[in-house]
Amino acid sequence: MKTRRLFIPIVLALFVSLSACDDSLLDYENPNAPTNTAFWETPEDAELGINAVYHQLLQPGTYSRWIFFRYDLSSDEGFSGSPWTELADWTRFNYVNYNFWEGNAIHWRDHYKGIFRANQVLANVPDIEFDNTTRKNQILGEARFLRALYYFNLAILYEDVPIVLEPSSPDDKPEQKPLEEVWGQIVTDLEFAMNNLPPTWSADNVGRATKGAAHALLGKVYMQQQEWDLAQDAMEWLVEGPGAANYGLVDNYEDNFRHTTENNIESVFEVQFSDENRGGKGDGSNSSLSNERPQFFAPRGIGWSDGQSNKWIIDEYKTENNLDGGFDTRLKWSIYYQEMGNDFANNNLVYGRPWDVGAWGNDAFIRKYSSSYFRDFEDYFSPNNFRVIRYADVLLSYAEIINELQGPAQAVQYLNRVRQRPSTNLAPLETSVHSAAMNSRDAFRERLKIERSLELNHEGVRFMDLKRWGMFDSQTTVDELAQRDPSFNNFVVGKHHRLPIPQSEVENNPNLDQHPEY
């Protein structure tokens, strides 16, 4: 059951401090506005503090809206045909205004705000007396995991960024650090989290970070650096070690994207959204706790249609029938497209409506996380959790790791577990139409690039996958991407593998340099 306790808007005075003054008349503290000196005294304060760190995951610059424009629409899986030209340009590598809020600055702001909240927990909770020391260490582990997650996204998007490990003040000017140091700090945080988080939580705490989530994120960190031995060590706990008992694949693929089947056995870490409040985003008592992604990806006339799917993914699904003789059923639950009613039975409605040829033509739209029971611009308030890491991703990642270390013969079993999910029901790779992928490590790697997209398309992983595989590093590989997504005709090698730092941040901090390519 989805917990509500993680998202009580309890910013209080966690984010405000008062300046000292010699005049005692000005030292009066408003009892209705607690300060840092009046907070951080009890275990209850610590609980509120860590909940505020989770709350930042629900913001537009993290997981409720704009990050999918970076991770999905700026990959070869998706694109933006939005009439808002600047918004669309930021998915096709036309960066002009480096302070553009929705495309850039909001990511920086919201992630560092999450880091600030985590730093407050880490600075203040150690001095609070707890009867339950285990719970105290869990809170610190949760803060370390969340800080690592915020820094992980910054590392993927910007690479060289300031590392801030203490509660900051408005006049601080933190020093920029190279990517290697950022990765190192993330590793330090995740190692602490692994040693202090529980494997599972009670039902009323579902949604909090677990030991398995820390292992999975650490594995991803090492994979991005191609540290394959270390990646295996991190991921093994979930796949072949004690943690494997806590995870599996749900029988029905679509259950990974429904609000009624959240926090299931396939969930490693997911953001807990809710439609409980109908206010705007922020920290107020009625601030929205909702997933706004469907509003921006729903087809024209239903949502804004600012993001769409590239159609090569549909073609890839259709290269192989399942063992029942039909198309790969993951296609049905991933993409809306004109022929979907012919390809799958009882699959001719888009948000409860028949395909609108006049409005949609032969376009393709992202189905994952759509909320079919909402209508007419109500998808600002979707309660559907976003699965940041699910177990299928872990298995495919482990297959990639083992292939790099040992080869396809040892790696294929982990890929086959995903291919042979009951609702997917594909043949083992060795006996499939793609069996040539077993011929070499390189061939298996190339097949994994497709298999990951068939399983994980539009789930916020493709951009970092392409980056890890070196697809941004040469004109030859960028040209390959451009064949699937014309937006990559604008991609400049050595430049667009990372975002420019918001210019306002550079101008306000003499210790922060704009990336030289910008």
Side-chain angles (χ1 to χ4, degrees):
M1 183 178 68
K2 184 183 298 188
T3 178
R4 302 296 184 200
R5 65 181 298 191
L6 296 185
F7 305 115
I8 302 169
I10 43 71
V11 293
L12 297 176
L14 300 180
F15 318 110
V16 179
S17 61
L18 299 180
S19 299
C21 179
D22 290 335
D23 190 338
S24 61
L25 291 177
L26 298 182
D27 288 339
Y28 176 76
E29 293 184 356
N30 181 353
N32 296 315
T35 66
N36 277 337
T37 57
F39 199 69
W40 301 116
E41 293 182 345
T42 68
E44 290 73 22
D45 292 341
E47 297 287 356
L48 293 174
I50 191 59
N51 288 353
V53 189
Y54 282 101
H55 183 73
Q56 194 59 24
L57 296 172
L58 280 68
Q59 300 309 311
T62 51
Y63 288 102
S64 77
R65 187 189 300 185
W66 298 120
I67 202 166
F68 306 110
F69 285 70
R70 308 282 71 77
Y71 282 162
D72 295 328
L73 304 188
S74 297
S75 78
D76 59 340
E77 290 181 347
F79 71 97
S80 177
S82 174
W84 184 356
T85 303
E86 190 169 24
L87 184 69
D89 274 348
W90 273 75
T91 71
R92 49 193 178 223
F93 312 107
N94 291 327
Y95 308 148
V96 178
N97 172 18
Y98 297 169
N99 291 326
F100 179 52
W101 186 249
E102 291 81 1
N104 197 26
I106 195 169
H107 300 302
W108 189 277
R109 192 279 306 269
D110 281 354
H111 281 81
Y112 272 108
K113 192 173 179 180
I115 290 165
F116 172 70
R117 295 183 180 188
N119 286 342
Q120 286 207 315
V121 171
L122 294 168
N124 291 286
V125 169
D127 294 330
I128 298 175
E129 292 187 11
F130 276 70
D131 292 333
N132 185 343
T133 304
T134 297
R135 180 58 193 139
K136 180 177 184 176
N137 290 332
Q138 288 172 348
I139 290 172
L140 296 173
E142 290 175 80
R144 289 285 197 111
F145 172 84
L146 293 169
R147 185 169 71 178
L149 179 59
Y150 291 125
Y151 269 121
F152 178 81
N153 287 332
L154 291 171
I156 295 293
L157 294 174
Y158 298 100
E159 298 190 356
D160 303 339
V161 298
I163 298 175
V164 183
L165 303 180
E166 299 291 338
S168 54
S169 300
D171 58 350
D172 285 351
K173 296 176 174 57
E175 184 179 354
Q176 189 174 22
K177 299 295 183 181
L179 178 59
E180 292 76 12
E181 290 190 36
V182 181
W183 288 134
Q185 181 57 49
I186 296 171
V187 168
T188 297
D189 279 346
L190 290 174
E191 287 177 342
F192 181 94
M194 287 190 307
N195 291 327
N196 288 278
L197 292 176
T200 60
W201 290 96
S202 60
D204 60 341
N205 281 294
V206 166
R208 296 188 182 276
T210 62
K211 185 181 185 72
H215 272 276
L217 186 56
L218 182 60
K220 284 177 169 284
V221 169
Y222 285 131
M223 288 180 71
Q224 290 303 127
Q225 301 173 84
Q226 300 191 2
E227 296 278 359
W228 302 114
D229 286 314
L230 294 172
Q232 181 186 9
D233 290 343
M235 290 281 195
E236 190 171 33
W237 187 87
L238 296 104
V239 180
E240 298 289 359
N246 300 321
Y247 300 101
L249 302 177
V250 294
D251 287 347
N252 297 309
Y253 179 71
E254 66 269 25
D255 285 347
N256 289 300
F257 316 109
R258 289 175 166 168
H259 79 285
T260 54
T261 49
E262 297 164 339
N263 301 306
N264 56 49
I265 194 171
E266 194 162 337
S267 173
V268 179
F269 185 72
E270 59 189 74
V271 178
Q272 308 290 305
F273 287 109
S274 165
D275 61 354
E276 189 171 289
N277 293 340
R278 292 298 180 100
K281 287 291 181 180
D283 298 315
S285 60
N286 193 44
S287 63
S288 170
L289 310 176
S290 303
N291 184 347
E292 299 176 336
R293 167 183 159 135
Q295 175 64 45
F296 289 82
F297 288 176
R300 294 177 290 278
I302 300 175
W304 301 125
S305 191
D306 288 322
Q308 295 180 226
S309 178
N310 280 315
K311 297 182 70 176
W312 68 266
I313 306 174
I314 299 173
D315 296 335
E316 283 293 344
Y317 275 121
K318 293 186 176 184
T319 63
E320 178 180 9
N321 286 351
N322 62 27
L323 294 178
D324 297 320
F327 291 130
D328 187 335
T329 56
R330 293 175 296 184
L331 169 58
K332 174 180 178 180
W333 301 106
S334 297
I335 301 173
Y336 292 120
Y337 59 105
Q338 188 174 10
E339 302 85 10
M340 65 186 198
N342 296 326
D343 292 343
F344 300 98
N346 302 314
N347 189 47
N348 61 344
L349 297 180
V350 179
Y351 282 76
R353 308 177 186 188
W355 189 266
D356 188 338
V357 176
W360 307 334
N362 196 30
D363 285 356
F365 301 96
I366 299 167
R367 182 170 189 166
K368 286 181 177 177
Y369 295 105
S370 62
S371 304
S372 296
Y373 61 96
F374 284 117
R375 301 288 185 273
D376 299 324
F377 301 97
E378 284 297 306
D379 274 357
Y380 276 110
F381 304 107
S382 171
N384 203 347
N385 288 359
F386 178 72
R387 286 70 162 177
V388 178
I389 307 173
R390 59 186 179 90
Y391 197 57
D393 186 2
V394 170
L395 290 173
L396 292 173
S397 296
Y398 203 69
E400 183 174 345
I401 293 165
I402 298 303
N403 180 58
E404 296 298 335
L405 293 174
Q406 302 176 31
Q410 292 75 31
V412 70
Q413 60 180 307
Y414 306 107
L415 169 59
N416 282 340
R417 288 177 62 180
V418 176
R419 288 173 55 87
Q420 296 182 285
R421 181 198 303 268
S423 65
T424 304
N425 196 28
L426 295 174
L429 184 68
E430 307 94 309
T431 59
S432 75
V433 296
H434 304 296
S435 61
M438 297 298 297
N439 290 346
S440 69
R441 181 180 282 109
D442 290 344
F444 191 83
R445 185 189 307 114
E446 290 304 307
R447 183 61 204 165
L448 266 178
K449 293 177 182 179
I450 300 301
E451 294 282 348
R452 282 187 63 82
S453 194
L454 297 179
E455 176 69 23
L456 303 168
N457 64 82
H458 307 303
E459 294 185 45
V461 300
R462 185 66 172 181
F463 183 87
M464 65 186 75
D465 283 354
L466 295 175
K467 197 169 188 177
R468 178 175 71 257
W469 295 327
M471 298 294 289
F472 298 157
D473 296 345
S474 74
Q475 194 60 50
T476 299
T477 51
V478 169
D479 288 346
E480 179 183 336
L481 295 174
Q483 293 177 14
R484 298 195 288 261
D485 183 349
S487 297
F488 278 88
N489 287 317
N490 301 322
F491 190 99
V492 176
V493 175
K495 180 176 183 179
H496 291 131
H497 61 289
R498 59 184 178 181
L499 294 176
I501 296 171
Q503 192 61 31
S504 59
E505 298 292 335
V506 175
E507 292 172 356
N508 289 323
N509 182 358
N511 296 317
L512 184 61
D513 294 327
Q514 184 59 268
H515 299 317
E517 63 269 24
Y518 289 101

PDB file of all heavy atoms in Angstrom, residues 2 9 79 95 105 109 157 195 223 231 286 308 311 334 343 346 356 425 516:
ATOM      1  N   LYS A   2       0.456   2.231  -0.788  1.00  0.00           N
ATOM      2  CA  LYS A   2       1.262   3.446  -0.881  1.00  0.00           C
ATOM      3  C   LYS A   2       1.190   4.229   0.418  1.00  0.00           C
ATOM      4  O   LYS A   2       0.122   4.504   0.948  1.00  0.00           O
ATOM      5  CB  LYS A   2       0.748   4.312  -2.026  1.00  0.00           C
ATOM      6  CG  LYS A   2       1.586   5.553  -2.276  1.00  0.00           C
ATOM      7  CD  LYS A   2       1.005   6.419  -3.359  1.00  0.00           C
ATOM      8  CE  LYS A   2       0.956   5.697  -4.667  1.00  0.00           C
ATOM      9  NZ  LYS A   2       0.574   6.591  -5.763  1.00  0.00           N
ATOM     10  N   PRO A   9       4.135  17.947   3.629  1.00  0.00           N
ATOM     11  CA  PRO A   9       4.983  19.098   3.332  1.00  0.00           C
ATOM     12  C   PRO A   9       5.462  19.772   4.602  1.00  0.00           C
ATOM     13  O   PRO A   9       4.809  20.639   5.161  1.00  0.00           O
ATOM     14  CB  PRO A   9       4.070  20.011   2.510  1.00  0.00           C
ATOM     15  CG  PRO A   9       2.715  19.456   2.562  1.00  0.00           C
ATOM     16  CD  PRO A   9       2.755  18.131   3.255  1.00  0.00           C
ATOM     17  N   PHE A  79      11.061  12.154 -28.929  1.00  0.00           N
ATOM     18  CA  PHE A  79      11.335  13.483 -29.479  1.00  0.00           C
ATOM     19  C   PHE A  79      10.213  14.409 -29.045  1.00  0.00           C
ATOM     20  O   PHE A  79       9.173  13.974 -28.538  1.00  0.00           O
ATOM     21  CB  PHE A  79      11.428  13.442 -31.009  1.00  0.00           C
ATOM     22  CG  PHE A  79      10.106  13.210 -31.708  1.00  0.00           C
ATOM     23  CD1 PHE A  79       9.367  14.275 -32.200  1.00  0.00           C
ATOM     24  CD2 PHE A  79       9.601  11.924 -31.856  1.00  0.00           C
ATOM     25  CE1 PHE A  79       8.142  14.068 -32.830  1.00  0.00           C
ATOM     26  CE2 PHE A  79       8.380  11.697 -32.491  1.00  0.00           C
ATOM     27  CZ  PHE A  79       7.645  12.779 -32.983  1.00  0.00           C
ATOM     28  N   TYR A  95      20.639  24.425 -27.925  1.00  0.00           N
ATOM     29  CA  TYR A  95      20.684  25.153 -26.656  1.00  0.00           C
ATOM     30  C   TYR A  95      21.128  26.587 -26.930  1.00  0.00           C
ATOM     31  O   TYR A  95      22.259  26.814 -27.368  1.00  0.00           O
ATOM     32  CB  TYR A  95      21.675  24.498 -25.683  1.00  0.00           C
ATOM     33  CG  TYR A  95      21.482  23.017 -25.456  1.00  0.00           C
ATOM     34  CD1 TYR A  95      22.578  22.191 -25.183  1.00  0.00           C
ATOM     35  CD2 TYR A  95      20.223  22.425 -25.511  1.00  0.00           C
ATOM     36  CE1 TYR A  95      22.423  20.836 -24.960  1.00  0.00           C
ATOM     37  CE2 TYR A  95      20.065  21.064 -25.291  1.00  0.00           C
ATOM     38  CZ  TYR A  95      21.171  20.280 -25.020  1.00  0.00           C
ATOM     39  OH  TYR A  95      21.011  18.933 -24.811  1.00  0.00           O
ATOM     40  N   ALA A 105      17.676  24.989 -16.026  1.00  0.00           N
ATOM     41  CA  ALA A 105      17.900  25.548 -14.691  1.00  0.00           C
ATOM     42  C   ALA A 105      17.106  24.844 -13.610  1.00  0.00           C
ATOM     43  O   ALA A 105      17.563  24.703 -12.470  1.00  0.00           O
ATOM     44  CB  ALA A 105      17.572  27.049 -14.699  1.00  0.00           C
ATOM     45  N   ARG A 109      18.376  23.482  -9.923  1.00  0.00           N
ATOM     46  CA  ARG A 109      17.760  23.981  -8.696  1.00  0.00           C
ATOM     47  C   ARG A 109      17.160  22.851  -7.861  1.00  0.00           C
ATOM     48  O   ARG A 109      17.440  22.720  -6.654  1.00  0.00           O
ATOM     49  CB  ARG A 109      16.685  25.009  -9.049  1.00  0.00           C
ATOM     50  CG  ARG A 109      16.139  25.840  -7.862  1.00  0.00           C
ATOM     51  CD  ARG A 109      15.071  25.136  -7.008  1.00  0.00           C
ATOM     52  NE  ARG A 109      13.937  24.624  -7.720  1.00  0.00           N
ATOM     53  CZ  ARG A 109      12.805  25.319  -7.935  1.00  0.00           C
ATOM     54  NH1 ARG A 109      12.694  26.558  -7.506  1.00  0.00           N
ATOM     55  NH2 ARG A 109      11.780  24.745  -8.568  1.00  0.00           N
ATOM     56  N   LEU A 157      23.790  14.383 -16.183  1.00  0.00           N
ATOM     57  CA  LEU A 157      23.373  15.534 -16.979  1.00  0.00           C
ATOM     58  C   LEU A 157      24.482  16.555 -17.189  1.00  0.00           C
ATOM     59  O   LEU A 157      24.621  17.116 -18.273  1.00  0.00           O
ATOM     60  CB  LEU A 157      22.166  16.208 -16.325  1.00  0.00           C
ATOM     61  CG  LEU A 157      20.875  15.387 -16.286  1.00  0.00           C
ATOM     62  CD1 LEU A 157      19.807  16.120 -15.480  1.00  0.00           C
ATOM     63  CD2 LEU A 157      20.366  15.086 -17.684  1.00  0.00           C
ATOM     64  N   ASN A 195      25.114  -0.324   4.088  1.00  0.00           N
ATOM     65  CA  ASN A 195      25.412  -0.890   5.397  1.00  0.00           C
ATOM     66  C   ASN A 195      24.404  -0.498   6.472  1.00  0.00           C
ATOM     67  O   ASN A 195      24.460  -1.038   7.583  1.00  0.00           O
ATOM     68  CB  ASN A 195      26.808  -0.452   5.841  1.00  0.00           C
ATOM     69  CG  ASN A 195      27.905  -1.093   5.007  1.00  0.00           C
ATOM     70  OD1 ASN A 195      27.763  -2.229   4.561  1.00  0.00           O
ATOM     71  ND2 ASN A 195      28.985  -0.365   4.773  1.00  0.00           N
ATOM     72  N   MET A 223      28.802   0.956 -13.621  1.00  0.00           N
ATOM     73  CA  MET A 223      28.600   0.677 -15.045  1.00  0.00           C
ATOM     74  C   MET A 223      28.882   1.916 -15.886  1.00  0.00           C
ATOM     75  O   MET A 223      29.480   1.815 -16.960  1.00  0.00           O
ATOM     76  CB  MET A 223      27.168   0.192 -15.286  1.00  0.00           C
ATOM     77  CG  MET A 223      26.886  -1.208 -14.783  1.00  0.00           C
ATOM     78  SD  MET A 223      25.181  -1.710 -15.093  1.00  0.00           S
ATOM     79  CE  MET A 223      25.199  -1.926 -16.881  1.00  0.00           C
ATOM     80  N   ALA A 231      31.018  -3.251 -10.602  1.00  0.00           N
ATOM     81  CA  ALA A 231      29.586  -3.274 -10.900  1.00  0.00           C
ATOM     82  C   ALA A 231      28.990  -4.633 -10.560  1.00  0.00           C
ATOM     83  O   ALA A 231      27.890  -4.730 -10.001  1.00  0.00           O
ATOM     84  CB  ALA A 231      29.354  -2.930 -12.371  1.00  0.00           C
ATOM     85  N   ASN A 286      -0.976  22.325   0.673  1.00  0.00           N
ATOM     86  CA  ASN A 286      -1.801  21.711  -0.361  1.00  0.00           C
ATOM     87  C   ASN A 286      -1.011  21.509  -1.648  1.00  0.00           C
ATOM     88  O   ASN A 286      -1.578  21.406  -2.730  1.00  0.00           O
ATOM     89  CB  ASN A 286      -3.039  22.579  -0.646  1.00  0.00           C
ATOM     90  CG  ASN A 286      -4.077  21.828  -1.464  1.00  0.00           C
ATOM     91  OD1 ASN A 286      -4.367  20.664  -1.207  1.00  0.00           O
ATOM     92  ND2 ASN A 286      -4.636  22.492  -2.463  1.00  0.00           N
ATOM     93  N   GLN A 308       6.814  12.581 -27.681  1.00  0.00           N
ATOM     94  CA  GLN A 308       6.287  11.449 -28.433  1.00  0.00           C
ATOM     95  C   GLN A 308       7.357  10.372 -28.577  1.00  0.00           C
ATOM     96  O   GLN A 308       8.538  10.607 -28.294  1.00  0.00           O
ATOM     97  CB  GLN A 308       5.817  11.896 -29.825  1.00  0.00           C
ATOM     98  CG  GLN A 308       4.644  12.842 -29.798  1.00  0.00           C
ATOM     99  CD  GLN A 308       4.202  13.264 -31.186  1.00  0.00           C
ATOM    100  OE1 GLN A 308       3.966  14.447 -31.446  1.00  0.00           O
ATOM    101  NE2 GLN A 308       4.078  12.309 -32.104  1.00  0.00           N
ATOM    102  N   LYS A 311       9.242   5.849 -33.919  1.00  0.00           N
ATOM    103  CA  LYS A 311       8.549   4.645 -34.386  1.00  0.00           C
ATOM    104  C   LYS A 311       9.467   3.463 -34.653  1.00  0.00           C
ATOM    105  O   LYS A 311       8.991   2.344 -34.862  1.00  0.00           O
ATOM    106  CB  LYS A 311       7.730   4.981 -35.629  1.00  0.00           C
ATOM    107  CG  LYS A 311       6.624   6.015 -35.335  1.00  0.00           C
ATOM    108  CD  LYS A 311       5.785   6.315 -36.553  1.00  0.00           C
ATOM    109  CE  LYS A 311       4.930   5.135 -36.918  1.00  0.00           C
ATOM    110  NZ  LYS A 311       4.037   5.445 -38.057  1.00  0.00           N
ATOM    111  N   SER A 334       3.498  -0.138 -24.127  1.00  0.00           N
ATOM    112  CA  SER A 334       4.549   0.881 -24.182  1.00  0.00           C
ATOM    113  C   SER A 334       4.182   2.085 -25.035  1.00  0.00           C
ATOM    114  O   SER A 334       4.539   3.220 -24.703  1.00  0.00           O
ATOM    115  CB  SER A 334       5.853   0.272 -24.720  1.00  0.00           C
ATOM    116  OG  SER A 334       6.351  -0.731 -23.853  1.00  0.00           O
ATOM    117  N   ASP A 343      -3.026  -5.018 -34.174  1.00  0.00           N
ATOM    118  CA  ASP A 343      -1.921  -5.851 -33.686  1.00  0.00           C
ATOM    119  C   ASP A 343      -2.262  -6.604 -32.406  1.00  0.00           C
ATOM    120  O   ASP A 343      -1.704  -7.673 -32.144  1.00  0.00           O
ATOM    121  CB  ASP A 343      -0.684  -4.987 -33.453  1.00  0.00           C
ATOM    122  CG  ASP A 343      -0.092  -4.448 -34.741  1.00  0.00           C
ATOM    123  OD1 ASP A 343      -0.424  -4.985 -35.820  1.00  0.00           O
ATOM    124  OD2 ASP A 343       0.709  -3.491 -34.675  1.00  0.00           O
ATOM    125  N   ASN A 346      -8.571  -5.988 -28.346  1.00  0.00           N
ATOM    126  CA  ASN A 346      -9.076  -5.097 -27.297  1.00  0.00           C
ATOM    127  C   ASN A 346      -8.059  -3.998 -26.962  1.00  0.00           C
ATOM    128  O   ASN A 346      -7.811  -3.692 -25.800  1.00  0.00           O
ATOM    129  CB  ASN A 346      -9.416  -5.900 -26.030  1.00  0.00           C
ATOM    130  CG  ASN A 346     -10.431  -6.980 -26.282  1.00  0.00           C
ATOM    131  OD1 ASN A 346     -11.450  -6.746 -26.937  1.00  0.00           O
ATOM    132  ND2 ASN A 346     -10.155  -8.177 -25.787  1.00  0.00           N
ATOM    133  N   ASP A 356      -7.697   8.993 -33.364  1.00  0.00           N
ATOM    134  CA  ASP A 356      -8.151  10.184 -34.076  1.00  0.00           C
ATOM    135  C   ASP A 356      -7.187  10.443 -35.240  1.00  0.00           C
ATOM    136  O   ASP A 356      -6.155  11.109 -35.077  1.00  0.00           O
ATOM    137  CB  ASP A 356      -8.180  11.379 -33.117  1.00  0.00           C
ATOM    138  CG  ASP A 356      -8.813  12.616 -33.723  1.00  0.00           C
ATOM    139  OD1 ASP A 356      -8.864  12.716 -34.961  1.00  0.00           O
ATOM    140  OD2 ASP A 356      -9.250  13.499 -32.949  1.00  0.00           O
ATOM    141  N   ASN A 425       6.820 -13.809 -22.954  1.00  0.00           N
ATOM    142  CA  ASN A 425       6.795 -15.146 -23.546  1.00  0.00           C
ATOM    143  C   ASN A 425       7.563 -15.242 -24.865  1.00  0.00           C
ATOM    144  O   ASN A 425       7.079 -15.796 -25.851  1.00  0.00           O
ATOM    145  CB  ASN A 425       5.347 -15.619 -23.742  1.00  0.00           C
ATOM    146  CG  ASN A 425       5.256 -17.119 -23.984  1.00  0.00           C
ATOM    147  OD1 ASN A 425       6.113 -17.880 -23.533  1.00  0.00           O
ATOM    148  ND2 ASN A 425       4.219 -17.539 -24.696  1.00  0.00           N
ATOM    149  N   PRO A 516      33.824  24.130 -21.162  1.00  0.00           N
ATOM    150  CA  PRO A 516      34.546  24.856 -22.223  1.00  0.00           C
ATOM    151  C   PRO A 516      33.887  24.745 -23.591  1.00  0.00           C
ATOM    152  O   PRO A 516      34.023  25.652 -24.419  1.00  0.00           O
ATOM    153  CB  PRO A 516      35.939  24.219 -22.204  1.00  0.00           C
ATOM    154  CG  PRO A 516      35.780  22.920 -21.489  1.00  0.00           C
ATOM    155  CD  PRO A 516      34.682  23.125 -20.503  1.00  0.00           C
TER     156      PRO A 516
END
